[in-house]
Structures are given as structure tokens and as C-alpha cells.
Amino acid sequence: MKAYINLLIILLLSFTLTSCELIGDIFKTGVWTGVILVVGIIAIVIWLLAKAFGGGSR
């Protein structure tokens, strides 16, 4: 009976540790997605300001 309890604890810990790693990867992906979105929005704002103030006309 004690062997089953030990096996159950080991399985529970392995699933728990794997899920923590998955959550960490999700957060890393979220950070990079946020960085890309912010850079894109800043580029669009700069482009719009350049168009509004005649930066592209000759």
C-alpha cells in the first residue's frame, strides 16, 4: 500500500512541475507578443505623424 502512495506522490509532482513550466512558457510568449504589439503601434503613430505634418511630400 505504501508503494502505491509513493507512486501517486511522484506522479502528482511530475504533473505539477510540468504545468508550472507550461505556464512559464505562456508568460514568456505573452511578453514577446506585447513587445511586438507596442513596437508596431509606435511605428504606426510615427508614420501617421509624418504623413500629417508633410514628412513624405516633396
Side-chain angles (χ1 to χ4, degrees):
M1 183 70 170
K2 188 173 181 172
Y4 290 118
I5 293 174
N6 288 339
L7 182 61
L8 181 65
I9 291 173
I10 290 172
L11 286 174
L12 182 66
L13 285 175
S14 67
F15 286 130
T16 306
L17 293 174
T18 304
S19 65
C20 288
E21 183 178 343
L22 177 67
I23 291 172
D25 290 340
I26 290 171
F27 280 129
K28 287 178 187 175
T29 303
V31 167
W32 281 110
T33 303
V35 167
I36 291 170
L37 285 174
V38 168
V39 168
I41 290 172
I42 290 173
I44 290 171
V45 168
I46 290 173
W47 179 73
L48 287 173
L49 287 174
K51 287 290 186 176
F53 294 111
S57 64
R58 292 181 185 200

